[in-house]
């Protein structure tokens, strides 16, 4: 038996207003006059958060376009621009949802590793530590702040750069930053966490480590999406810790059916991660009966619309391509259905599931 020896985030600061400590946190990490680069989610253009960023010397804010989920081409271009403008940089700080944080992780790695980020999509292909990197979530749910991956869509696959060099050196968890997220977006990203918990807790890879974090995260998701009638500051506090704990839970287990199927949607149709997971979860009674029932309750209670009919006009070739991407996620299927998953989740069965979405 080989147990995973996993690398965690080095430093964590949590609390309302923790963002104000950023200047102090970055100071000892500055290398001469090489700049800190702040990747700020483009949602914050002209918003007060932009003027709170502690710029020094040649530091720069780069507004990152997260209309689409991060692509290897986008990462390569960002890294190339920084190299040509500054040569070296002191660090990258990703401020935003999972997309902005993933861009920061990937660009940090591409400042020191040769070639294209597409060369490193997979497990443990990254060979050099990146530059110093900090993650600051403004949406809660993905767990990207704690994970050892950065999910990228490349020319041939949608797959993360999974490595011990990928986790952030520092994260700043300040629930104030999620305050103004629109209810729909907050729900979709929050459900990513809920689904992480269900997939981890119902999976065959489950162990006490994952279970302790998964149960806590699930409890916090329920507090905000089931028990509360009106969103308040406490909900922001709780969902931020749910995201963290949900991420820790899957770090030592794996996600499952909703993620495996949703990866196919996002590769072919560009469906975003949070909403894609919800579209799939809506039809997974067979695999997660209790979780799906509660999911539907939360959808109704929070007045959220989950799109349907998104696969209605697809060609056979398009179904095939989604099925290929999805069945490629072997560890996810094995976690969900056990070692004999290939006998259970046949191409025909998956084709039927996609057709329902
Ligand atoms: P996102 O980062 O894609 O952002 C969604 C939208 O919300 C964007 O339009 C963004 O501008 C906006 N936004 C962000 N913060 C906001 C705020 N405070 N108020 C209002 N709008 C705000 O959404 P997400 O669900 O956080 O992240 C999804 C991404 O995370 C996907 O790219 C997915 O692949 C990735 N992901 C990564 C991991 C990982 O472990 N690395 C895990 C899960 C998902
Ligand atoms: Zn997820």
């Amino acid at each position: 038996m080989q147990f995973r020896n996993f690398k965690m985030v080095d430093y964590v600061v949590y609390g309302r207003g923790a963002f104000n400590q950023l200047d102090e946190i970055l100071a000892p990490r500055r290398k001469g006059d090489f700049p800190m680069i702040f990747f700020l989610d483009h949602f914050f253009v002209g918003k007060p958060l932009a003027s709170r960023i502690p710029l020094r010397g040649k530091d720069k804010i780069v507004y990152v376009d997260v209309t689409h989920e991060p692509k290897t081409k986008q990462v390569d271009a960002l890294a190339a621009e920084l190299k040509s403008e500054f040569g070296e940089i002191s660090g990258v700080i990703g401020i935003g949802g999972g997309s902005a944080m993933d861009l920061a992780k990937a660009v940090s790695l591409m400042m020191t590793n040769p070639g294209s980020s597409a060369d490193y999509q997979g497990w443990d292909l990254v060979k050099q530590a990146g530059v110093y990197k900090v993650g600051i979530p403004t949406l809660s749910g993905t767990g990207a702040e704690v994970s050892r991956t950065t999910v990228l869509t490349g020319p041939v696959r949608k797959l993360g750069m999974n490595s011990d060099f990928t986790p952030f050196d520092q994260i700043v968890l300040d629930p104030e930053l999620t305050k103004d997220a629109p209810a729909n977006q907050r729900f979709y990203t929050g459900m990513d966490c809920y689904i992480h918990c269900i997939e981890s807790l119902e999976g065959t890879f489950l162990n006490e480590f994952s279970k302790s974090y998964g149960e806590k995260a699930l409890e916090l998701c329920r507090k905000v999406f089931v028990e509360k009638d009106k969103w308040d500051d406490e909900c922001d506090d709780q969902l931020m810790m749910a995201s963290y704990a949900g991420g820790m839970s899957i770090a030592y287990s794996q996600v499952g059916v909703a993620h495996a199927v949703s990866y196919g949607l996002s590769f072919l149709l560009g469906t975003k991660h949070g909403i894609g997971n919800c579209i799939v979860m809506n039809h997974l009674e067979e695999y997660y009966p209790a979780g799906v029932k509660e999911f539907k309750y939360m959808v109704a209670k929070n007045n959220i619309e989950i799109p349907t009919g998104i696969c209605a006009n697809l060609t056979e070739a398009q179904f095939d391509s989604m099925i290929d991407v999805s069945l490629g996620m072997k560890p996810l299927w094995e976690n969900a259905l056990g070692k004999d998953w290939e006998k259970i989740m046949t191409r025909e069965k998956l084709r039927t599931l996609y057709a329902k979405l």
Side-chain angles (χ1 to χ4, degrees):
M1 180 80 183
Q2 185 68 30
F3 296 100
R4 188 178 307 157
N5 184 11
F6 79 88
K7 170 75 172 66
M8 291 170 52
V9 166
D10 288 353
Y11 289 89
V12 182
V13 56
Y14 170 83
R16 303 197 144 254
F19 188 82
N20 296 333
Q21 276 168 238
L22 192 54
D23 193 28
E24 194 184 308
I25 289 170
L26 298 180
R29 302 302 190 134
R30 293 181 177 278
K31 287 176 152 180
D33 68 349
F34 294 128
M36 289 287 179
I37 307 298
F38 298 85
F39 282 0
L40 185 57
D41 189 310
H42 65 171
F43 169 80
F44 293 100
V45 174
K47 300 267 172 21
L49 186 61
S51 53
R52 291 174 60 200
I53 290 181
L55 296 175
R56 306 245 160 208
K58 293 187 290 180
D59 287 3
K60 186 175 177 182
I61 298 178
V62 176
Y63 284 100
V64 287
D65 184 345
V66 296
T67 314
H68 305 289
E69 295 192 339
K71 295 194 170 56
T72 52
K73 264 200 332 217
Q74 186 183 10
V75 168
D76 295 350
L78 282 165
E81 276 164 36
L82 292 177
K83 281 182 202 162
S84 82
E85 188 173 351
F86 299 109
E88 256 184 73
I89 61 172
S90 288
V92 190
I93 299 95
I95 309 170
S99 299
M101 287 192 284
D102 275 1
L103 279 170
K105 288 186 191 180
V107 170
S108 154
L109 295 172
M110 294 317 295
M111 293 304 290
T112 53
N113 286 278
S116 161
S117 49
D119 304 337
Y120 303 101
Q121 286 182 283
W123 280 271
D124 302 303
L125 302 172
V126 179
K127 297 292 178 240
Q128 309 270 356
V131 300
Y132 176 72
K133 53 186 167 333
V134 181
I136 309 183
T138 65
L139 284 174
S140 295
T142 62
E145 64 277 20
V146 288
S147 75
R148 79 189 290 275
T149 189
T150 158
V151 183
L152 302 177
T153 304
V156 285
R157 54 182 70 90
K158 182 178 177 194
L159 189 60
M161 296 165 77
N162 293 263
S163 82
D164 280 353
F165 300 115
T166 311
F168 285 116
D169 298 291
Q170 167 85 53
I171 57 177
V172 177
L173 304 179
D174 181 347
E176 253 173 31
L177 305 183
T178 63
K179 192 178 171 54
D180 298 322
N184 265 338
Q185 183 61 56
R186 191 166 64 200
F187 186 84
Y188 297 142
T189 304
M191 279 305 111
D192 191 19
C193 176
Y194 178 81
I195 295 168
H196 290 159
C197 295
I198 300 296
E199 291 178 320
S200 165
L201 294 170
E202 300 289 321
T204 62
F205 295 178
L206 189 63
N207 52 69
E208 256 343 291
F209 186 102
S210 298
K211 199 171 156 193
S212 9
Y213 284 106
E215 285 177 349
K216 186 68 201 176
L218 193 60
E219 178 193 317
L220 292 166
C221 287
R222 286 182 176 140
K223 280 187 196 291
V224 307
F225 292 117
V226 177
E227 292 164 27
K228 267 281 162 69
D229 290 319
K230 194 171 179 303
W231 197 270
D232 59 13
D233 286 355
E234 191 184 39
C235 296
D236 283 316
D237 296 356
Q238 289 172 332
L239 195 55
M240 189 158 273
M241 286 321 297
S243 176
Y244 178 91
M248 288 297 287
S249 178
I250 48 175
Y252 221 64
S253 61
Q254 192 39 281
V255 286
V257 181
H259 276 76
V261 177
S262 138
Y263 267 75
L265 290 180
S266 93
F267 184 79
L268 184 76
L269 305 171
T271 314
K272 297 195 86 182
H273 187 79
I275 195 168
N277 285 345
C278 288
I279 292 171
V280 180
M281 189 69 173
N282 219 6
H283 296 275
L284 295 185
E285 287 88 348
E286 186 179 339
Y287 307 96
Y288 307 116
V292 173
K293 189 168 171 219
E294 186 168 55
F295 168 77
K296 289 186 173 176
Y297 177 81
M298 293 186 286
V299 169
K301 169 157 180 155
N302 293 276
N303 288 316
I304 306 293
E305 290 243 346
I306 305 294
T308 53
I310 64 163
C311 294
N313 300 312
L314 299 184
T315 63
E316 242 5 87
Q318 288 177 310
F319 275 110
D320 274 335
S321 123
M322 288 194 298
I323 293 167
D324 288 341
V325 170
S326 179
L327 292 180
M329 313 298 293
K330 293 181 195 309
L332 284 65
W333 289 112
E334 187 183 332
N335 176 46
L337 305 173
K339 286 224 174 319
D340 285 336
W341 65 270
E342 277 162 304
K343 288 186 197 133
I344 305 168
M345 188 45 77
T346 58
R347 294 186 74 87
E348 298 69 53
K349 185 139 192 194
L350 189 50
R351 164 82 174 71
T352 312
L353 176 55
Y354 273 121
K356 282 197 225 163
L357 308 178

